[in-house]
Amino acid sequence: MPKSATTRTPPPTDGEIVDLDLSTEMRTSFLEYAYSVIYARALPDARDGLKPVQRRILFQMDRMGLRPDRPHVKSSRVVGDVMGRLHPHGDTAIYEALVRLAQPFTMRLPLIDGHGNFGSLDDGPAAPRYTEARLAASALALTADLDEDTVDFSPNYDYTLTEPEVLPAAFPNLLVNGAAGIAVGMATNMPPHNLVEVVAAARHLLTHPEASLEDLTAFVPGPDLPAGGMIVGLDGIREAYRTGRGKFLTRATAHVESVSPRRKGIVVTELPYMVGPEKVIARIKEAVGSKKLQGITDVADLTDRRHGTRLVISVKNGYNPEAVLAQLYKHTPLEDSFGINNVSLVDGQPHTLGLRELLEVFVRHRLTVVTRRTRFRLGKRRERAHLVDGLLIAILDIDEVIAVIRSSDDAATARTRLMQVFDLTEPQAGYILELQLRRLTKFSVIELEKERDELAREIEALEAILADDVLLRRVVSRELAAVAEQFGTPRRTVLLEASGEPVTSSAGSAATPDDASASGGGAKRAAASAQPMTLMPSASPVPLTVPDDPCRVVLSATGLVARTAGTEPVARTGGRRPHDALTSQVATTARGRIGAVTDTGRLVLLDVVSTTEVPRTEGALGLAGATPVRQLVDIEPEETVVGMVPVGSVDNPPIVLATADGVIKRVKPGDEPRNAESWEVISLSEGDRVVFAGTAADTDFLALVTSDAQLLRFQAAKVRPQGRGAGGMAGISLHEGARVIAGAAVPEELLAEAVVVTVAGSEGSLPGTGGGSVKVTPLDRYPAKGRATGGVRSHRFLRGEDELVVAWVGVAPPRALREGGQPVVLPEPDERRDGSGSPLPAPIIGIG
């Protein structure tokens, strides 16, 4: 008959068969297995954030002396020592745990400094015999003070050695690095966080133990993933911080840029947590093949160690990159979800913890560690002070001490007599007997008295810490601040509400009174700098292709290019937004092409669809989000785009060019090579460069302004159109050392509205620097003259001025910009064509 579950079964003897109840045996064995997995393998301790195997690896490497200032050793040696001394499981599990601790894409603050192939998001690591490891500097903060009775030790698996039950952990490792593990009937999945933010929250909780969850989430608004990216929607995170369970959406960081002179592309620089480029590429190809994705021509992985993640997705011309990106988020791992399950061990029991509970467990642990360390140090210093007092007593009568020792039969007798004669304790007498005679000098007395006083001060400070809870908390807070200062980095992950509004941490401004040194505004700066570079799908659906609607492409004085709907010229009523000084406007269509003329005399084709579409506003355009023109055209680093012109039709007005040497040229419309992306539109002499490019009909007026303040105005009809290979003709007669600095083509019907802006300065000063003066004058105040003449004076120089550094001719009102695109207020028009200017309110770099 089977025995009852409550009946104790005696151990069987050799050869004896014992009948057991199957259900009871299975239940007992399964519970033992489950207990082992939960408590000894899969779940981290909430105090130091480590699983047993991770703790054993760090402890054993610390005992092996594998610190950051020591050479790396083979991973096989570490694995062997951990397995042989502490860990009862196999080498594979140990090496996998070691690899994870060294991976920067897994850990927000890696604890092991790996040397060799420790794997990637798409590939596993090399074998342990091919890799090397040592502790990272951050790991020393976890193992510090182990030898000062800060934590309890317990026997290892065979009771031959001891190991710490938990590490002292000088920072909240569980929140900073997260955790993942599958036990029996439960699992844990915790995302990493920013060290500076978590430390700020812990310090706030130290100072304000009654702090609410809302107070703490002001410092820790959300996870901070190692790979960066974005987290969209924070409701699930707030729920996890409250209950320990939640879910959030991670999204790759991507922006649109020109991947070739003729094509736009989506460049992914940060991927969701634990998502590799190869997985993304495979899903993109699969979705393109199944027609779920449209408008993608190619995808290339340009990721490397130097530049980091760079996944380039080419978009077909005519497709809206923002809409393609929205499809990518929907159908590929560029958008992924993360389920939070904050399960960890507290007092040996698994618990699901919210943010406040996790911080409370850590704070209690650090208070205990610092208290035990303080008691240990206090005991050591008291013991040393006691010995120093005995030495001082002995040195006062050193001759008698020596006589007592010499007259004693043995050491025990000498110890007893010293205690009786000098009223010493046994430890003091024993220490004197073991002391070398060279220490018993007059100089040693000075050292001992100094040491005694220093020990007294240290003992007083340690006793004060143990007697005052506020002082104890202040010590813990200062140590946390030091760790954050040493290892803290700015936030990498941008947090966005479901509405798209960015969320930042207050860790840099309001944690505790002395937080300023430890908690910088990295999160706020990172979010602010990353936000303009990311693309969020709009709430309303974005058309996948760009309609070939009429539009107008504009170029600002600071080199930004954009397009607006419609072909009507942008309103000329002035504006106050940055970058809204326009130097070129071309009417075209969204899928058309225009030409960008450079100062080297080249015309480079530009796809209009690659430019950023910006809305018209009353009086101005806000071009702060527009694209730098050199990112859209294939030009050399030393080349500069000086203007944009229409191409492709014989009905277009001739292109007009002006050079620094005073050459003027009009190019025949339609004189363009076939199947070319760029070509020369003027043959320049050596050292010459183009300073102006536009279009001019025969009835228009051309104006040239020189550096010595001469202005020439003449009719465009006097310049006959030439082929693109011609070198042009004389435009203005220059004085020695002078050069043309500005040109313009003004329609005859707008001549009365045109003005001339001249900015005077000194020779050798860079544009936009130094002092000087500025003058605005109506263009019709300058008489028209013949081509190739010297013109008339346009600006009378003041003392310290000897040339014009910036000039512009165009339809009023003029707009001047300083460095960064901010507007500069110009004076009212001056009717005197050769008058002097008004003092500059700010340096000017461009006018439009």
Side-chain angles (χ1 to χ4, degrees):
M1 291 291 294
K3 297 183 182 296
S4 170
T6 59
T7 303
R8 295 182 59 86
T9 304
T13 59
D14 291 342
E16 181 183 1
I17 297 176
V18 178
D19 292 331
L20 297 175
D21 181 72
L22 180 61
S23 62
T24 302
E25 181 64 25
M26 290 294 293
R27 186 182 303 111
T28 303
S29 299
F30 180 79
L31 287 176
E32 291 178 355
Y33 166 75
Y35 182 90
S36 173
V37 172
I38 292 172
Y39 297 99
R41 294 178 64 177
L43 297 184
D45 193 295
R47 294 171 291 178
D48 61 5
L50 298 172
K51 301 177 184 179
V53 63
Q54 297 171 332
R55 187 178 304 112
R56 288 161 180 162
I57 290 171
L58 298 180
F59 172 70
Q60 185 59 34
M61 292 181 71
D62 181 74
R63 287 299 180 261
M64 294 169 67
L66 303 181
R67 295 174 177 82
D69 57 345
R70 301 290 298 276
H72 296 79
V73 302
K74 272 194 175 184
S75 300
S76 294
R77 178 182 169 188
V78 176
V79 172
D81 276 21
V82 172
M83 182 171 59
R85 294 174 178 270
L86 304 174
H87 199 60
H89 303 289
D91 56 345
T92 301
I94 298 173
Y95 185 57
E96 287 177 354
L98 185 148
V99 166
R100 188 183 190 276
L101 294 174
Q103 291 177 332
F105 52 84
T106 302
M107 308 283 283
R108 187 59 178 83
L109 186 63
L111 301 176
I112 287 180
D113 178 13
H115 187 200
N117 178 14
F118 275 77
S120 67
L121 289 168
D122 296 307
D123 298 307
R129 61 182 179 275
Y130 299 124
T131 62
E132 298 176 335
R134 65 183 178 188
L135 289 176
S138 56
L140 299 183
L142 295 180
T143 60
D145 308 326
L146 263 176
D147 296 325
E148 295 186 278
D149 192 34
T150 52
V151 295
D152 293 331
F153 279 68
S154 58
N156 68 337
Y157 64 92
D158 61 359
Y159 289 83
T160 59
L161 300 169
T162 59
E163 59 177 320
E165 295 180 358
V166 66
L167 295 184
F171 64 89
N173 178 59
L174 185 58
L175 277 167
V176 172
N177 281 320
I182 300 176
V184 177
M186 61 185 68
T188 184
N189 199 32
M190 304 177 64
H193 290 76
N194 185 273
L195 174 64
V196 174
E197 297 175 0
V198 173
V199 165
R203 297 182 68 197
H204 184 79
L205 190 60
L206 276 165
T207 309
H208 306 88
E210 74 289 347
S212 65
L213 177 61
E214 289 71 20
D215 297 333
L216 299 177
T217 53
F219 301 103
V220 187
D224 188 23
L225 308 176
M230 294 182 291
I231 294 178
V232 183
L234 305 183
D235 291 342
I237 294 173
R238 296 188 180 104
E239 178 66 17
Y241 286 169
R242 186 178 65 84
T243 65
R245 296 178 183 271
K247 185 178 181 181
F248 63 87
L249 202 62
T250 61
R251 182 174 289 171
T253 299
H255 63 274
V256 174
E257 66 177 53
S258 293
V259 296
S260 71
R262 301 181 57 185
R263 179 158 292 167
K264 283 279 193 179
I266 299 170
V267 179
V268 180
T269 55
E270 295 174 349
L271 291 170
Y273 186 45
M274 301 305 290
V275 173
E278 291 184 10
K279 180 180 179 181
V280 174
I281 293 174
R283 291 290 295 273
I284 290 176
K285 292 180 178 179
E286 179 183 337
V288 170
S290 62
K291 307 299 182 182
K292 290 182 179 179
L293 288 177
Q294 301 179 24
I296 296 176
T297 61
D298 185 39
V299 55
D301 183 10
L302 305 182
T303 302
D304 57 31
R305 291 182 180 269
R306 181 177 180 183
H307 301 96
T309 302
R310 186 173 176 85
L311 201 61
V312 180
I313 304 168
S314 299
V315 179
K316 293 180 181 178
N317 286 335
Y319 278 79
N320 190 323
E322 289 86 350
V324 174
L325 180 59
Q327 285 191 333
L328 287 167
Y329 284 146
K330 181 178 180 181
H331 297 293
T332 71
L334 289 182
E335 184 175 273
D336 199 9
S337 62
F338 187 97
I340 301 176
N341 190 21
N342 295 337
V343 178
S344 57
L345 298 178
V346 179
D347 297 329
Q349 300 294 325
H351 291 272
T352 303
L353 306 177
L355 176 63
R356 193 181 193 283
E357 290 76 19
L358 286 168
L359 289 171
E360 283 179 335
V361 171
F362 171 76
V363 166
R364 284 200 305 268
H365 175 58
R366 279 308 294 175
L367 290 172
T368 301
V369 166
V370 174
T371 299
R372 293 180 59 163
R373 185 189 66 193
T374 304
R375 287 174 180 163
F376 178 85
R377 292 178 178 177
L378 179 60
K380 288 292 184 181
R381 279 153 181 78
R382 284 174 173 171
E383 180 181 342
R384 177 60 185 171
H386 183 62
L387 297 178
V388 170
D389 289 339
L391 284 175
L392 287 172
I393 293 173
I395 288 177
L396 291 177
D397 199 352
I398 186 63
D399 295 333
E400 187 175 355
V401 168
I402 295 174
V404 168
I405 295 175
R406 293 186 62 182
S407 61
S408 301
D409 295 332
D410 51 33
T413 304
R415 183 183 304 108
T416 303
R417 293 183 62 192
L418 286 173
M419 293 168 60
Q420 293 173 349
V421 174
F422 298 101
D423 194 21
L424 299 176
T425 64
E426 184 174 351
Q428 290 175 328
Y431 187 73
I432 291 172
L433 286 174
E434 297 172 359
L435 197 67
Q436 296 176 345
L437 287 177
R438 64 182 177 84
R439 294 288 306 276
L440 302 178
T441 63
K442 291 183 179 180
F443 181 73
S444 295
V445 173
I446 299 175
E447 287 185 341
L448 288 172
E449 290 178 344
K450 182 179 179 181
E451 184 181 0
R452 179 192 60 191
D453 296 339
E454 180 65 26
L455 287 170
R457 286 193 294 269
E458 292 181 0
I459 290 171
E460 182 180 1
L462 294 172
E463 289 175 342
I465 294 173
L466 292 176
D468 189 347
D469 183 69
V470 174
L471 190 57
L472 174 65
R473 290 175 177 268
R474 193 172 300 166
V475 171
V476 175
S477 180
R478 282 200 302 266
E479 293 180 356
L480 283 171
V483 172
E485 179 71 21
Q486 182 178 3
F487 303 112
T489 56
R491 166 170 281 277
R492 300 174 186 173
T493 302
V494 177
L495 302 176
L496 300 175
E497 295 282 7
S499 61
E501 180 183 357
V503 176
T504 58
S505 168
S506 60
S509 59
T512 57
D514 54 349
D515 271 338
S517 63
S519 304
K524 186 175 295 185
R525 290 194 301 273
S529 62
Q531 179 61 16
M533 296 299 294
T534 60
L535 290 173
M536 284 284 296
S538 61
S540 58
V542 181
L544 183 58
T545 59
V546 179
D548 198 23
D549 295 333
C551 65
R552 199 169 190 85
V553 179
V554 296
L555 176 69
S556 78
T558 55
L560 298 179
V561 64
R563 71 178 188 274
T564 66
T567 57
E568 291 299 319
V570 177
R572 296 187 296 272
T573 59
R576 295 296 178 188
R577 296 189 180 186
H579 306 286
D580 64 354
L582 308 179
T583 58
S584 291
Q585 300 189 40
V586 180
T588 179
T589 62
R591 297 192 191 180
R593 306 183 85 182
I594 60 174
V597 181
T598 73
D599 58 351
T600 62
R602 287 200 311 143
L603 185 148
V604 185
L605 291 180
L606 168 65
D607 290 307
V608 176
V609 72
S610 66
T611 60
T612 304
E613 185 172 6
V614 296
R616 291 173 182 261
T617 59
E618 184 177 355
L621 289 176
L623 299 183
T627 308
V629 66
R630 63 171 50 252
Q631 292 186 9
L632 303 181
V633 292
D634 187 15
I635 61 176
E636 298 297 327
E638 63 274 8
E639 278 187 288
T640 301
V641 174
V642 296
M644 297 189 303
V645 295
V647 294
S649 174
V650 295
D651 297 329
N652 292 329
I655 298 173
V656 62
L657 308 167
T659 76
D661 286 349
V663 175
I664 194 78
K665 178 183 179 182
R666 294 171 74 204
V667 184
K668 294 178 181 178
D671 186 18
E672 302 156 359
R674 295 195 177 194
N675 302 322
E677 295 298 318
S678 66
W679 59 87
E680 287 189 355
V681 287
I682 185 173
S683 180
L684 295 174
S685 60
E686 186 176 355
D688 197 8
R689 64 183 184 89
V690 176
V691 296
F692 167 74
T695 59
D698 289 344
T699 58
D700 293 347
F701 280 95
L702 301 179
L704 301 175
V705 184
T706 68
S707 59
D708 59 351
Q710 295 298 113
L711 185 147
L712 176 62
R713 175 167 68 91
F714 56 93
Q715 279 196 324
K718 296 181 179 180
V719 183
R720 60 178 178 82
Q722 300 175 302
R724 53 188 170 84
M729 57 188 70
I732 185 173
S733 178
L734 296 174
H735 298 128
E736 184 177 356
R739 65 193 185 281
V740 175
I741 61 171
V746 180
E748 184 178 19
E749 64 273 15
L750 298 177
L751 182 62
E753 302 180 39
V755 295
V756 179
V757 182
T758 51
V759 180
S762 60
E763 184 179 2
S765 66
L766 297 174
T769 63
S773 61
V774 60
K775 183 170 74 78
V776 181
T777 309
L779 179 60
D780 58 10
R781 298 300 182 269
Y782 300 90
K785 291 197 170 187
R787 179 182 61 82
T789 60
V792 296
R793 187 166 62 182
S794 61
H795 195 119
R796 184 184 298 276
F797 294 138
L798 299 173
R799 177 175 297 180
E801 301 174 348
D802 53 17
E803 70 171 3
L804 295 182
V805 293
V806 180
W808 177 82
V809 181
V811 178
R815 290 276 291 135
L817 301 178
R818 63 186 302 176
E819 190 74 31
Q822 292 81 10
V824 176
V825 178
L826 295 175
E828 293 297 321
D830 188 345
E831 298 294 329
R832 301 173 300 159
R833 63 176 176 82
D834 63 343
S836 57
S838 304
L840 271 174
I844 292 175
I845 65 165
I847 308 173

